[in-house]
């Protein structure tokens, strides 16, 4: 695929001579308030200089096969931002030096990149992270990513992706935090806090970017870049919450989405980008378009050419043009034609400059040069990645306690994922390296060394219809007490532009399961994927199923730790596993049917194979009845719900309690239940802990309408935990 090796700064500078006296200019004075520095600098800028600040080109080798754009022949020193594809700061510093030291105003360039789940220390994909139900741990992981990014020369990540998604055919379901709005909000906020910390000028922090605003996960039929039918009601009760909470948490930037939102593409949608984001939520950062999303307004049929696309996107509220070559070519022209005012341009440039000042780029424009060892894969960083991998693994099935394995077993380790490394990194891990990945087999060797006999056979590839390895696999199984069958997806089968018509594994993999089931040996299915999978044919053939997702560099040891019983699994699903692709969309917080017992499928079950929040442990947890501090509440009052949980098994373990709310009657029909709070606690065997949910009636019991107004109605509401509920009356 065509790689873009972009000629770094061609030594071409728009104005080689620095304006006299800038050294003492107010905007150079770090002691001045940011807003004063912004205004001072803005007052000195020409229209051309302002327009360049609103553009982002690329620099370095572009590994992203989806982002093919015209070669940028030169990089003007006044460019606002560059997507930086390298992993060391040398090239960045070279380009930055020209911009800072030889241009007229010395405005530093903002370097961005897709650091989605780690830079070199790659940790689990976001969909897996949410299964940990441990936002604090995700925050730590994002802090690791921020430090590595900054040392690599990246000041700004295009992350977190907080798109609620309910269709596993859509490859990008892997990049968000699952099907629930509240879950995406909590983990989106944790990511922003991890990336940005409490001081953006800290050299270990980077600016975050909430994306893709908004509703990208509703892509029709799981295809990418397509139409999304989103009513105002659904916009607000399903897709907006993660963005609203992310803005409250201080997200520096937002990325506009590709998708057409019920007739108005997100990148030309003034309602979301200005009326809501800027006016109602008062966001003082900026919006960057997705790659090509402005130019794509043409094929989406709302712009005749790049110039009209530039006008529509800019007036809707997109401040920065990512690789469209629309703003750089047409914005000044549109100003001169009076179609865009200088005030509008100034507001956009103000937002970009504000972030650059906040990041400290004027004081510290250059990245310190360090060695790879100093930059990446610190032991403490790998520990965080390993812990997050451990807590994101979900034990879906464990019949007759076939797990944990006894350490004196003969274990057949079979399948294309058994020794695989690269695919465990998942999508959007371009700076991750397979050589740093601990494979499943590596982990097993380390954990079971001298205690069990491992008998390996690959059995099959990922998708080729080639059964030549079956005999060897069967022979390995015959010699063993138990089969660990490691299957799953290639990393390129999920992520961007990676839609699949079915969420089942390729036929050859399913055939291997059937073949090995004939040996009569128990099969433990170990699955690595970037999406929920269709397992209805494999589930009956498997004694146990462990969903390991795409764990990044450090999955092998926790996987083996769980299989051996050294670790008690604690992951619970952030997304529903449908019984089959034909059920999609299927998700827990659905509306009630008019005839709950009719309208069901005639040919398959109408319930999922594994529900949202499903996940098994090696121990047992006993729940007390839910207690309420009051069963009556006035609007504005508070009620505390609590449930006491005891680890009644014979193994320590962590338990997450999910608190749901439901109401049978409401002016606007509501989901059968909605997640409003969750808490994870580690309980030693025999230990008891009381989980509490401080209920804020409007936020937790109320609902939202199609104008984004939250309301609370009198009536009866139910607080649900697992299979119990208690009523609370609002009047
Ligand atoms: C891609 C993706 C977006 C990413 C951007 C830059 O097309 O849609 O998520 O941040 O372009 O790579």
């Amino acid at each position: 695929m065509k790689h873009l090796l972009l000629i770094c700064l061609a030594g071409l500078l728009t104005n080689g001579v620095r304006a006299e006296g800038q050294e003492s200019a107010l905007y150079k004075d770090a002691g001045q308030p940011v807003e004063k520095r912004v205004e001072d600098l803005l007052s000195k800028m020409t229209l051309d200089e302002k327009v360049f600040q609103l553009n982002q080109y690329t620099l370095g080798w572009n590994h992203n096969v989806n982002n093919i754009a015209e070669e940028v022949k030169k990089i003007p020193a006044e460019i606002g931002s560059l997507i930086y594809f390298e992993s060391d700061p040398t090239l960045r510093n070279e380009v930055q030096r020209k911009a800072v030291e030889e241009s007229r105003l010395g405005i530093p360039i903002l370097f961005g990149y897709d650091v989605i789940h780690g830079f070199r220390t790659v940790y689990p994909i976001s969909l897996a992270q949410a299964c940990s139900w441990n936002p604090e741990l995700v925050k730590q992981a994002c802090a690791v990513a921020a430090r590595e990014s900054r040392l690599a020369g990246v000041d700004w990540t295009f992350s977190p992706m907080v798109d609620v998604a309910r269709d596993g055919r859509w490859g990008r379901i892997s990049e968000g935090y699952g099907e629930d709005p509240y879950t995406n909000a909590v983990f989106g906020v944790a990511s922003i806090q991890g990336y940005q910390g409490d001081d953006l000028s800290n050299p270990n922090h980077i600016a975050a970017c909430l994306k893709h605003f908004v509703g990208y996960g509703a892509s029709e039929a799981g295809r990418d870049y397509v139409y999304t039918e989103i009513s105002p009601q659904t916009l607000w009760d399903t897709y907006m919450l993660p963005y609203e909470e992310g803005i409250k948490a201080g997200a520096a930037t937002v990325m506009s989405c590709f998708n057409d939102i019920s007739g108005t593409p997100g990148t030309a949608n003034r309602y979301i980008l200005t009326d809501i984001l800027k006016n109602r939520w008062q966001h003082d950062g900026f919006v960057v378009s997705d790659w090509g999303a402005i130019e794509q307004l043409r094929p989406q049929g709302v712009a005749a050419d790049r110039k009209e696309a530039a006008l529509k996107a800019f007036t809707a509220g997109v401040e920065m043009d990512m690789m469209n070559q629309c703003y750089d070519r047409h914005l000044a022209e549109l100003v001169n034609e009076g179609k865009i005012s200088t005030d509008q341009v100034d507001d956009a440039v103000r937002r970009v400059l504000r972030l650059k000042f906040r990041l400290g780029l004027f004081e510290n424009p250059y990245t310190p040069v360090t060695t790879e060892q100093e930059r990446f894969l610190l032991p403490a960083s790998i520990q965080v990645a390993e812990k997050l991998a451990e807590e994101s693994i979900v034990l879906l099935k464990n019949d007759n306690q076939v797990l944990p394995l006894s350490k004196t077993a003969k274990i057949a380790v079979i399948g294309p994922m058994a020794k695989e490394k690269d695919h465990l990194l998942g999508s959007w891990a371009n700076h991750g390296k397979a050589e740093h990945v601990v494979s499943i087999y590596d982990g097993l060797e380390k954990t079971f060394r001298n205690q069990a006999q491992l008998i390996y056979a690959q059995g099959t590839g990922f998708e080729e219809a080639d059964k030549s390895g079956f005999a060897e696999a069967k022979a390995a199984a015959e010699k063993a007490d138990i089969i660990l069958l490691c299957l799953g997806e290639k990393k390129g089968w999920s992520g961007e532009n990676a839609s699949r018509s079915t969420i089942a594994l390729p036929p050859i993999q399913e055939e291997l399961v059937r073949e090995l089931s004939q040996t009569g040996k128990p099969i433990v299915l170990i699955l690595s994927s970037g999406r929920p999978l269709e397992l209805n044919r494999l589930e009956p053939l498997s004694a146990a199923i462990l969903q390991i997702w795409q764990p990044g560099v450090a999955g092998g040891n926790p996987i083996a730790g769980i299989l051996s019983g050294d670790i008690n699994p604690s992951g619970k699903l952030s997304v529903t596993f449908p019984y089959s692709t034909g059920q999609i969309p299927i998700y827990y917080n659905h509306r009630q049917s008019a005839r709950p017992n009719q309208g069901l499928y005639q040919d398959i079950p109408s319930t999922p194979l594994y529900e949202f929040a499903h996940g098994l442990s090696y121990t047992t947890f006993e729940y007390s009845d839910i207690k309420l501090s009051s069963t009556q509440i006035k609007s504005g009052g508070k009620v505390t719900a609590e449930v006491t949980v005891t680890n009644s098994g014979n193994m320590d373990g962590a338990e997450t309690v999910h608190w749901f709310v439901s109401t049978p009657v409401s002016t606007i029909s509501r989901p059968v239940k909605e997640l409003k709070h969750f808490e994870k606690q580690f309980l030693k065997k025999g230990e008891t802990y009381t989980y509490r949910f401080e209920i804020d009636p409007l936020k937790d019991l109320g609902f939202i309408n199609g104008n984004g107004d939250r309301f609370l109605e009198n009536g009866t509401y139910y607080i649900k935990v697992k299979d119990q509920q208690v009523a609370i009356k609002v009047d």
Side-chain angles (χ1 to χ4, degrees):
M1 183 53 77
K2 180 170 95 177
H3 288 293
L4 288 182
L5 169 58
L6 286 160
I7 312 298
C8 71
L9 191 66
L12 175 97
L13 299 163
T14 43
N15 304 29
V17 179
R18 294 176 63 76
E20 288 310 310
Q22 295 306 351
E23 287 65 30
S24 60
L26 184 145
Y27 75 90
K28 293 275 190 176
D29 177 355
Q32 292 292 333
V34 164
E35 293 311 312
K36 284 185 87 173
R37 300 177 75 183
V38 167
E39 294 310 320
D40 178 59
L41 177 51
L42 198 57
S43 68
K44 299 176 180 341
M45 295 172 74
T46 66
L47 176 58
D48 281 351
E49 289 165 337
K50 291 176 182 175
V51 167
F52 270 128
Q53 285 300 310
L54 304 180
N55 280 274
Q56 180 181 64
Y57 292 163
T58 61
L59 179 65
W61 284 95
N62 174 5
H63 297 276
N64 185 330
V65 292
N66 301 307
N67 290 344
I68 301 304
E70 290 171 47
E71 292 240 356
V72 173
K73 300 286 180 282
K74 59 182 175 16
I75 298 172
E78 278 70 13
I79 194 73
S81 176
L82 292 168
I83 302 181
Y84 189 59
F85 290 109
E86 300 305 326
S87 60
D88 86 54
T90 311
L91 181 56
R92 167 237 164 84
N93 286 340
E94 267 175 49
V95 176
Q96 189 74 301
R97 184 161 286 102
K98 297 275 185 181
V100 170
E101 299 178 7
E102 297 175 22
S103 71
R104 193 174 76 84
L105 295 168
I107 302 173
I109 296 168
L110 176 64
F111 291 85
Y113 190 65
D114 291 289
V115 186
I116 308 301
H117 53 107
F119 192 93
R120 178 64 47 76
T121 304
V122 177
Y123 43 85
I125 57 170
S126 301
L127 189 59
Q129 293 172 37
C131 295
S132 73
W133 302 99
N134 190 338
E136 180 52 37
L137 189 52
V138 167
K139 181 178 168 183
Q140 291 170 27
C142 291
V144 166
R147 177 190 164 278
E148 292 192 351
S149 303
R150 208 70 193 261
L151 287 173
V154 171
D155 317 300
W156 172 32
T157 178
F158 308 129
S159 171
M161 192 266 221
V162 290
D163 296 321
V164 172
R166 292 150 167 181
D167 187 336
R169 294 172 297 178
W170 189 52
R172 305 202 77 168
I173 195 170
S174 61
E175 299 176 46
Y177 302 101
E179 69 190 40
D180 174 65
Y182 177 73
T183 310
N184 273 275
V186 170
F187 284 98
V189 167
S191 301
I192 291 160
Q193 292 167 342
Y195 290 138
Q196 298 189 170
D198 48 17
D199 173 7
L200 271 175
S201 68
N202 178 315
N204 287 323
H205 295 150
I206 54 175
C209 180
L210 283 166
K211 73 183 188 182
H212 308 76
F213 193 44
V214 68
Y216 190 13
S219 292
E220 271 186 335
R223 298 279 304 283
D224 212 350
Y225 315 117
V226 295
Y227 183 77
T228 52
E229 179 48 60
I230 302 176
S231 68
Q233 180 58 39
T234 301
L235 176 71
W236 283 100
D237 70 25
T238 301
Y239 297 108
M240 288 292 246
L241 181 67
Y243 289 91
E244 185 173 11
E245 294 305 312
I247 295 302
K248 283 181 194 165
T253 66
V254 173
M255 183 182 289
S256 70
C257 60
F258 289 129
N259 50 297
D260 179 341
I261 306 171
S262 298
T264 307
T267 297
N269 198 307
R270 183 176 173 81
Y271 173 65
I272 61 169
L273 296 174
T274 294
D275 298 350
I276 301 303
L277 180 63
K278 296 179 180 58
N279 298 341
R280 188 182 301 191
W281 292 346
Q282 291 292 298
H283 187 230
D284 70 356
F286 67 86
V287 174
V288 61
S289 76
D290 199 339
W291 185 304
I294 298 173
E295 194 279 327
Q296 287 164 193
L297 295 175
R298 288 191 307 159
Q300 284 178 305
V302 295
D305 52 32
R306 273 195 159 99
K307 181 175 176 182
E308 186 179 12
L311 177 61
K312 289 214 164 181
F314 188 79
T315 50
V318 176
E319 279 79 32
M320 186 177 280
D321 167 344
M322 179 192 285
M323 283 305 289
N324 290 278
Q325 276 89 53
C326 287
Y327 285 7
D328 53 356
R329 294 179 182 172
H330 299 294
L331 224 44
E333 193 184 341
L334 289 164
V335 172
N336 296 333
E337 292 170 5
K339 291 177 181 165
I340 290 176
S341 71
T342 46
D343 285 351
Q344 286 173 295
V345 171
D346 285 356
D347 178 63
V349 177
R350 190 172 285 123
R351 292 169 180 270
V352 174
L353 297 179
R354 183 177 291 138
L355 178 56
K356 292 187 176 184
F357 281 115
R358 286 177 177 168
L359 278 165
L361 290 180
F362 284 80
E363 285 67 53
N364 301 298
Y366 308 115
T367 303
V369 178
T370 51
T371 64
E372 285 247 335
Q373 291 66 32
E374 288 167 331
R375 281 201 293 278
F376 304 132
L377 296 164
L378 299 184
S381 303
I382 293 175
Q383 262 180 352
V384 171
E386 189 166 278
K387 187 66 180 143
L388 188 49
E390 172 195 318
E391 296 204 22
S392 62
I393 292 167
V394 185
L395 181 59
L396 295 175
K397 178 180 184 181
N398 189 21
D399 278 1
N400 311 317
Q401 302 303 310
V402 71
L403 290 178
L405 302 172
S406 79
K407 289 192 176 177
T408 53
K410 286 183 188 157
I411 305 169
V413 185
I414 300 172
M417 206 56 84
K419 294 193 173 182
E420 173 61 40
K421 288 177 178 271
D422 190 37
H423 294 318
L424 294 185
L425 288 169
S427 63
W428 292 105
N430 295 328
H431 287 303
K433 294 186 176 183
E435 68 197 73
H436 299 133
V437 172
V438 180
S439 71
I440 298 170
Y441 197 81
D442 293 336
L444 290 169
E445 275 194 316
K446 181 179 173 199
T447 302
F448 287 89
R449 185 177 298 128
N450 311 324
Q451 300 179 60
Q453 183 189 351
L454 301 181
I455 309 158
Y456 169 74
Q458 182 179 325
T460 176
F462 283 95
E463 55 191 327
E464 306 75 23
D466 169 7
K467 298 200 283 190
S468 58
F470 275 29
E472 183 196 17
K474 229 172 160 177
E478 296 296 0
K479 292 178 202 153
D481 307 311
I482 192 162
I483 303 165
L484 299 184
L485 187 44
C486 310
L487 303 175
E489 295 188 313
K490 290 183 174 180
K491 65 182 185 182
W493 294 359
S494 56
E496 183 181 356
N497 193 11
S499 299
R500 294 176 74 83
S501 66
T502 173
I503 59 172
L505 290 174
I508 191 69
Q509 293 194 38
E510 292 208 2
E511 200 159 340
L512 180 60
V513 181
R514 281 193 293 278
E515 185 79 11
L516 293 175
S517 68
Q518 288 162 17
T519 65
K521 304 292 176 70
I523 292 175
V524 174
L525 215 41
I526 299 171
L527 300 172
S528 172
S529 66
R531 56 166 50 86
L533 296 170
E534 175 180 302
L535 302 174
N536 67 71
R537 293 173 297 281
L538 306 187
E539 191 276 336
L541 304 176
S542 311
I545 302 176
L546 195 66
Q547 172 70 12
I548 67 169
W549 301 107
Q550 287 156 339
V553 293
N557 291 329
I559 292 163
I562 287 171
L563 291 168
S564 70
D566 295 343
I567 294 169
N568 190 351
S570 63
K572 297 190 175 191
L573 292 179
S574 58
V575 67
T576 298
F577 270 52
Y579 177 85
S580 83
T581 305
Q583 288 184 334
I584 293 172
I586 184 168
Y587 48 94
Y588 90 89
N589 42 354
H590 59 81
R591 266 24 185 233
Q592 184 49 57
S593 159
R595 294 188 183 184
N597 300 317
Q598 290 184 302
L600 307 176
Y601 293 114
Q602 293 181 340
D603 56 341
I604 60 169
S606 297
T607 50
L609 187 60
Y610 298 116
E611 293 198 337
F612 176 81
H614 170 74
L616 302 178
S617 171
Y618 290 150
T619 189
T620 51
F621 296 101
E622 276 168 23
Y623 284 57
S624 73
D625 292 344
I626 302 171
K627 276 195 304 187
L628 292 175
S629 59
S630 166
T631 57
Q632 199 104 15
I633 191 171
K634 300 281 185 199
S635 175
K638 294 275 186 196
V639 170
T640 302
E642 51 184 62
V643 66
T644 301
V645 177
T646 301
N647 179 344
S648 50
N650 54 18
M651 189 171 176
D652 298 349
E655 174 70 343
T656 300
V657 169
H658 291 88
W659 295 89
F660 296 93
V661 161
S662 76
T663 177
V665 181
S666 171
T667 302
I668 298 171
S669 72
R670 292 183 62 167
V672 290
K673 63 180 184 179
E674 300 162 69
L675 182 66
K676 294 292 182 181
H677 181 63
F678 61 83
E679 181 183 356
K680 182 173 194 176
Q681 287 295 334
F682 181 82
L683 303 180
K684 287 189 173 307
K685 57 188 175 192
E687 188 178 358
T688 290
Y689 176 81
T690 299
Y691 293 76
R692 284 188 180 77
F693 172 21
E694 301 290 343
I695 297 168
D696 172 336
L698 181 61
K699 179 171 81 69
D700 297 317
L701 304 180
F703 201 41
I704 198 163
N705 64 21
N707 297 319
D709 305 321
R710 195 163 285 283
F711 63 93
L712 176 64
E713 293 176 309
N714 292 341
T716 302
Y717 295 80
Y718 292 94
I719 309 299
K720 293 169 176 269
V721 169
K722 278 204 182 275
D723 48 12
Q724 58 172 317
Q725 65 180 28
V726 289
I728 194 165
K729 204 161 169 46
V730 173
D731 55 22

